[in-house]
């Protein structure tokens, strides 16, 4: 009687991977017995990473990789053991990291860049021309399109609140407006005893009134005889006398001063 003994090597039942890589970098916290992963990508990413793997023994496994076509899809890696009785499917999903950016590219007032804007500076002071009735329209250039920007105006103050997409960072910029005071300090006319002083010019400050020979100083202009017309109701006018001259002082709302002086002379006799 002849007995024949056949020896064989048991086929591998290993359907696990040693490592999985996305764009050449190992997936964080990889474990061969965990089959679902989410890869976090930097903010702004649009390209699907190339997924590769490390097999403990490529000759003893059949491995099929199905790359995701978009970041909304999932990459799958199907690993079949040599004995074909065991298989595992690794699934890799993707999530793009939300932005933490709460900075702005700029602030604009009626389309003009806010002077000296800097993300490190939270407060700005803007002087508007005298007579301004409507505050400038405030617009911004966002640091990224996913920021939440809120612009509110109350009184002479505009607030620009910027919240990052992930909600973790916030910046607030406040614009304080001041409306410039009137600089008008000219007189429209200057009168003595109700009659306009000859050749009066709002921009000319000195005037000389000539009297015939023999005229007494009592006939010279007196403070109470001087009247005037102003260009703007904010002007403050004071009439005084100094060394025989009439001094008309005009103070603008912003404090600018203009002086008109009226001197008198007696002509010599022929």
């Amino acid at each position: 009687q002849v007995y024949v003994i056949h020896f064989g090597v048991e086929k591998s039942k290993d359907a696990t991977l040693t490592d999985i890589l996305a764009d050449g970098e190992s997936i964080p916290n990889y474990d061969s017995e965990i089959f679902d992963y989410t890869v976090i990508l930097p903010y702004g990413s649009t390209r699907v990473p190339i997924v590769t793997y490390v097999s403990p023994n490529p000759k003893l496994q059949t491995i099929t990789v199905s790359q995701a076509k978009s970041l909304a899809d999932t990459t799958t890696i199907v690993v079949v053991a040599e004995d074909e009785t065991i298989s595992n499917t690794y699934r890799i999903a993707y999530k793009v990291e939300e932005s933490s950016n709460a900075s702005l590219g700029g602030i604009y007032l009626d389309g003009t860049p806010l002077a000296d804007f800097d993300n490190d500076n939270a407060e700005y002071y803007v002087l508007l021309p005298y007579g301004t009735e409507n505050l400038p329209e405030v617009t911004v250039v966002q640091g990224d399109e996913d920021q939440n920007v809120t612009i509110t105006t109350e009184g002479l103050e505009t607030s620009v609140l910027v919240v990052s997409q992930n909600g973790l960072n916030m910046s607030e910029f406040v614009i304080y407006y001041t409306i410039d005071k009137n600089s008008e300090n000219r007189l429209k006319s200057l009168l003595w005893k109700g009659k306009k002083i000859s050749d009066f010019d709002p921009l000319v400050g000195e005037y000389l009134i000539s009297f015939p020979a023999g005229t007494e100083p009592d006939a010279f202009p007196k403070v109470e005889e001087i009247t005037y017309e102003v260009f703007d109701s904010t002007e403050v006018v004071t009439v005084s006398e100094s060394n025989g001259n009439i001094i008309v002082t005009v103070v603008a709302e912003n404090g600018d001063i203009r002086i008109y002086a009226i001197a008198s002379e007696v002509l010599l006799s022929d």
Side-chain angles (χ1 to χ4, degrees), residues 111-147:
T112 300
L114 177 62
D116 300 322
F117 173 74
D118 189 317
N119 279 290
D120 293 329
N121 184 13
E123 295 183 344
Y124 298 87
Y125 297 86
V126 175
L127 181 64
L128 300 175
Y130 170 76
T132 297
E133 295 182 355
N134 298 314
L135 297 181
E137 179 186 10
V138 177
T139 55
V140 303
V141 174
Q142 294 185 204
D144 65 58
E145 62 182 8
D146 295 306
Q147 291 174 330

Side-chain angles (χ1 to χ4, degrees), residues 13 19 75 84 150 152 199 203 223 265:
K13 297 179 181 294
D19 197 5
T75 295
E84 298 184 351
T150 304
T152 56
D199 299 325
L203 299 177
V223 168
E265 68 172 358

Side-chain angles (χ1 to χ4, degrees), residues 24-208:
E25 297 289 334
S26 295
I27 292 177
N29 303 316
Y30 174 74
D31 184 319
S32 63
E33 299 298 328
I34 296 175
F35 303 103
D36 290 283
Y37 298 91
T38 298
V39 174
I40 306 300
L41 300 175
Y43 172 76
S45 297
T46 58
R47 185 183 63 81
V48 178
I50 301 300
V51 173
T52 55
Y53 58 84
V54 177
S55 169
N57 195 333
K59 293 181 180 180
L60 302 181
Q61 294 176 326
T62 301
I63 303 173
T64 304
V65 179
S66 298
Q67 298 281 358
K69 292 183 171 59
S70 73
L71 293 178
D73 298 332
T74 300
T75 295
T76 59
I77 305 175
V78 179
V79 184
V80 180
E82 182 186 24
D83 71 353
E84 298 184 351
T85 63
I86 298 176
S87 68
N88 289 317
T89 300
Y90 294 90
R91 290 168 289 270
I92 302 95
Y94 306 97
K95 181 180 179 180
V96 178
E97 189 175 29
E98 292 187 333
S99 172
S100 61
N101 183 8
S103 298
L104 290 178
I107 297 178
Y108 291 77
L109 307 182
D110 283 342
T112 300
L114 177 62
D116 300 322
F117 173 74
D118 189 317
N119 279 290
D120 293 329
N121 184 13
E123 295 183 344
Y124 298 87
Y125 297 86
V126 175
L127 181 64
L128 300 175
Y130 170 76
T132 297
E133 295 182 355
N134 298 314
L135 297 181
E137 179 186 10
V138 177
T139 55
V140 303
V141 174
Q142 294 185 204
D144 65 58
E145 62 182 8
D146 295 306
Q147 291 174 330
N148 183 11
V149 179
T150 304
I151 301 174
T152 56
T153 297
E154 184 174 345
L156 293 175
E157 180 179 315
T158 295
S159 168
V160 180
L161 182 65
V162 186
V163 180
S164 63
Q165 183 188 26
N166 63 9
L168 299 179
N169 294 315
M170 180 181 73
S171 298
E172 184 176 19
F173 306 96
V174 182
I175 304 170
Y176 299 97
Y177 301 102
T178 301
I179 297 177
D180 198 10
K181 294 182 177 181
N182 196 353
S183 61
E184 180 61 77
N185 61 6
R186 300 171 302 157
L187 292 180
K188 188 180 296 184
S189 63
L190 190 57
L191 304 91
W192 174 43
K193 292 184 177 180
K195 295 183 178 181
K196 292 183 179 181
I197 292 178
S198 179
D199 299 325
F200 176 76
D201 184 325
L203 299 177
V204 176
E206 295 183 355
Y207 296 90
L208 179 62

Side-chain angles (χ1 to χ4, degrees), residues 190 197 205 207-209 221 226 244-248 260-264:
L190 190 57
I197 292 178
Y207 296 90
L208 179 62
I209 299 178
I226 299 298
N245 297 322
I246 298 296
I247 305 299
V248 181
Y260 298 95
I262 304 172
S264 301

Side-chain angles (χ1 to χ4, degrees), residues 7-13 60 82-83:
F7 296 94
V9 178
E10 184 180 13
K11 291 186 177 181
S12 172
K13 297 179 181 294
L60 302 181
E82 182 186 24
D83 71 353

